[in-house]
Amino acid sequence: MSNPQQLRYSKEHEWLSVAEDGVSTVGITEFAANALGDVVYAQLPEVGDTVTAGETCGELESTKSVSDLYAPVTGEVVEANQDVVDDPSLVNSAPFEGGWLFKVRVTDEPADLLSADEYTEFSGS
Amino acid sequence: MSSNAPRLTALDALHRSLGATMTDFAGWDMPLRYGSERDEHLAVRTRAGLFDLSHMGEITVTGPQAAALLNHALVGNIASVGVGRARYTMICREDGGILDDLIVYRLAENEYMVVANASNAQVVLDALAERAAGFDALVRDDRDAYALIAVQGPESPGILKSLTDADLDGLKYYAGLPGTVAGVPALIARTGYTGEDGFELFVAPSDAEKLWQALTDAGAPVGLVPCGLSCRDTLRLEAGMPLYGHELTTSLTPFDAGLGRVVKFEKEGDFVGRAALQEAASRAEENPPRVLVGLVAEGRRVPRAGYPVVADGKVIGEVTSGAPSPTLGKPIAMAYVDAAHAAPGTAGVGVDIRGSHEPYEVVALPFYKRQK
């Protein structure tokens, strides 16, 4: 598996796109999706919610477990991926593409986000 | 290597070469899944799946009084099991609490194999050894003597037939006979834990890889895939089969678990737990205990073991196992609920899923029954 170079990564295994017009897209990495197993339910933050870096903002449920979804940055949610709500398996099949989770207008981001290479080393993926 | 290192099955290297995600299970490093657990589950329901179950605990009981010992130590009437047949039974404590659920195969007139859950194998072994005092019978730890490979699913008889001369048509459900599969000596048992037709093959660990490979090759044309413990759990849950530590514990008697039928008071001689179980039986008759029921979600949130079952804002039970059901396409659960809310179709029942009360339908178990 390879982690796209243009993205940044959190130690909670979220990825974050570089903001365009101040808006970044958030998802979970392929490493995290594989670790979860088949995702069967996604509770995403809603449009208008304020999420805070490092705090939970939703949950992903797989066959065997439920995992908190953490916000990699602080900001206001401007879109949640309805396709993932309707078909959570997108998180497994296309974690970096169609399986993105939400878009956020970033107001603050932590300094410790990782580059693709750093994340690859961190996750051993 | 420290003594805490997980135990590896004879198929460990093979699992890793297949890219399995491994997990610790009762001290064993076992395959959780090879790819998608949903695909593995559906393969068993529609085609065939191959499982490594070498973590299960085999205990051999032999001798002139083997039957008498097992009748004394277990709650079932083991002496009445015919040679070549198997029986589902339980071992209880003196106070009636369930120590484990077991399958006992009668291999010969004076030879039985008791198969215990991996997590309880030592407990069962110790209890049998202790209860053997005064009986002319020998209890032998055979955990290292066997690897266990299961092939489960509607295509499994065809797959196995291509590899053995054994009379599979004459082998009924819950029966086992010695034979040869793919040139390997095996105890061939028509048992399993998936709700499908299937076979469990007890073989020497040194033969396990050869057998696994032969089954893989023979099954490839009909879509057999290797399967991990994750789908084994959803398969057994759909089939309404109890799992020790979830539906069965030492704090429940078989009567509390709705499995009082496995206790045979009419058998000859005394058995461990008889007095307590008789009390539990009358108690259950006078004042019905919580009932094990099925719950089917109306929404998509998954109930997990330990979540409260609620009605009218009150806790009326507890989930013992829950998972998304690949066959039903909805989350399902088994739960013990108060008898007043146990009837299929009872309205107003929900599960408290991390603070939110999600509606559930009460149904009779099992969720899934294969067409025969």
Side-chain angles (χ1 to χ4, degrees):
Chain A
M1 94 185 69
S2 71
N3 297 303
Q5 283 295 329
Q6 73 277 17
L7 303 176
R8 288 163 303 154
Y9 299 85
S10 76
K11 289 184 177 174
E12 306 290 352
H13 306 285
E14 284 90 25
W15 57 260
L16 179 78
S17 72
V18 176
E20 285 176 36
D21 299 334
V23 174
S24 282
T25 305
V26 174
I28 65 163
T29 65
E30 187 174 359
F31 173 81
N34 282 342
L36 283 175
D38 294 343
V39 176
V40 296
Y41 174 81
Q43 186 190 55
L44 303 179
E46 289 175 14
V47 173
D49 284 357
T50 298
V51 296
T52 305
E55 293 188 4
T56 63
C57 63
E59 58 188 37
L60 294 174
E61 186 128 31
S62 63
T63 305
K64 295 306 284 180
S65 66
V66 56
S67 303
D68 284 327
L69 174 64
Y70 293 89
V73 290
T74 300
E76 183 191 343
V77 175
V78 297
E79 190 179 349
N81 189 353
Q82 188 61 36
D83 290 346
V84 162
V85 173
D86 295 340
D87 178 10
S89 73
L90 280 173
V91 174
N92 296 105
S93 58
F96 293 116
E97 291 145 5
W100 62 273
L101 299 178
F102 61 92
K103 295 186 179 184
V104 56
R105 185 174 302 283
V106 181
T107 56
D108 190 27
E109 65 177 67
D112 61 353
L113 290 174
L114 307 175
S115 70
D117 291 343
E118 287 166 339
Y119 177 72
T120 300
E121 192 180 338
F122 168 75
S123 63
S125 59
Chain B
M1 197 165 19
S2 85
S3 60
N4 291 330
R7 299 181 68 177
L8 308 180
T9 80
L11 296 164
D12 188 72
L14 216 153
H15 298 318
R16 289 169 202 278
S17 74
L18 290 169
T21 300
M22 306 297 284
T23 188
D24 175 77
F25 188 86
W28 290 80
D29 210 11
M30 299 300 293
L32 183 64
R33 54 190 156 84
Y34 300 83
S36 154
E37 57 237 328
R38 185 177 172 277
D39 292 349
E40 292 170 20
H41 180 111
L42 295 173
V44 174
R45 286 274 178 263
T46 57
R47 305 189 306 274
L50 192 59
F51 295 83
D52 179 9
L53 305 176
S54 300
H55 59 308
M56 301 294 287
E58 297 86 4
I59 301 159
T60 304
V61 180
T62 57
Q65 286 194 294
L69 160 59
L70 290 172
N71 261 15
H72 166 71
L74 313 180
V75 300
N77 190 352
I78 307 306
S80 72
V81 177
V83 172
R85 300 306 305 265
R87 184 154 300 166
Y88 177 77
T89 186
M90 292 182 185
I91 181 166
C92 289
R93 300 192 302 204
E94 199 68 66
D95 70 359
I98 302 166
L99 278 178
D100 200 11
D101 62 336
L102 308 165
I103 293 182
V104 178
Y105 298 87
R106 189 168 200 172
L107 304 181
E109 187 59 29
N110 291 324
E111 182 179 359
Y112 294 84
M113 183 169 74
V114 176
V115 180
N117 285 296
S119 52
N120 291 330
Q122 190 64 47
V123 168
V124 175
L125 185 65
D126 292 345
L128 286 178
E130 190 188 317
R131 295 173 190 187
F135 288 92
D136 187 2
L138 193 72
V139 174
R140 189 172 74 221
D141 178 2
D142 267 347
R143 283 177 290 180
D144 292 337
Y146 292 107
L148 175 57
I149 294 173
V151 53
Q152 299 275 305
E155 298 285 355
S156 56
I159 293 167
L160 208 56
K161 270 179 198 171
S162 71
L163 297 173
T164 182
D165 294 332
D167 174 21
L168 297 184
D169 292 328
L171 187 68
K172 295 181 186 138
Y173 188 53
Y174 262 75
L177 55 79
T180 302
V181 182
V184 166
L187 170 67
I188 307 169
R190 201 161 202 159
T191 45
Y193 195 49
T194 61
E196 297 300 330
D197 192 6
F199 300 86
E200 296 184 304
L201 306 168
F202 297 85
V203 299
S206 54
D207 289 332
E209 213 165 305
K210 182 182 174 192
L211 178 60
W212 178 280
Q213 203 52 57
L215 288 163
T216 299
D217 295 344
V222 290
L224 171 139
V225 296
C227 293
L229 294 185
S230 181
C231 83
R232 189 170 189 250
D233 191 47
T234 50
L235 288 160
R236 71 93 195 166
L237 175 58
E238 285 184 352
M241 294 175 174
L243 172 63
Y244 197 87
H246 288 254
E247 286 72 38
L248 309 175
T249 68
T250 47
S251 62
L252 296 174
T253 71
F255 295 94
D256 302 313
L259 290 164
R261 62 179 182 276
V262 305
V263 182
K264 304 295 182 192
F265 291 118
E266 70 278 13
K267 67 178 172 177
E268 254 182 65
D270 197 16
F271 63 92
V272 178
R274 179 193 280 271
L277 289 167
Q278 244 148 3
E279 256 175 62
S282 5
R283 207 167 50 231
E285 202 154 311
E286 285 157 26
N287 184 17
R290 282 184 169 179
V291 179
L292 188 66
V293 299
L295 299 175
V296 177
E298 291 168 24
R300 292 164 66 169
R301 303 185 77 188
V302 184
R304 306 286 177 185
Y307 286 11
V309 182
V310 292
D312 306 324
K314 290 196 192 86
V315 174
I316 56 137
E318 187 176 307
V319 171
T320 51
S321 296
S325 160
T327 304
L328 277 66
K330 296 172 178 174
I332 59 172
M334 288 201 269
Y336 283 112
V337 303
D338 292 341
H341 298 272
T346 302
V349 171
V351 176
D352 183 337
I353 297 189
R354 301 182 292 282
S356 121
H357 289 190
E358 302 283 327
Y360 275 75
E361 184 190 352
V362 178
V363 301
L365 292 169
F367 299 98
Y368 166 86
K369 202 165 184 166
R370 80 183 144 106
Q371 306 296 313
K372 292 192 183 170

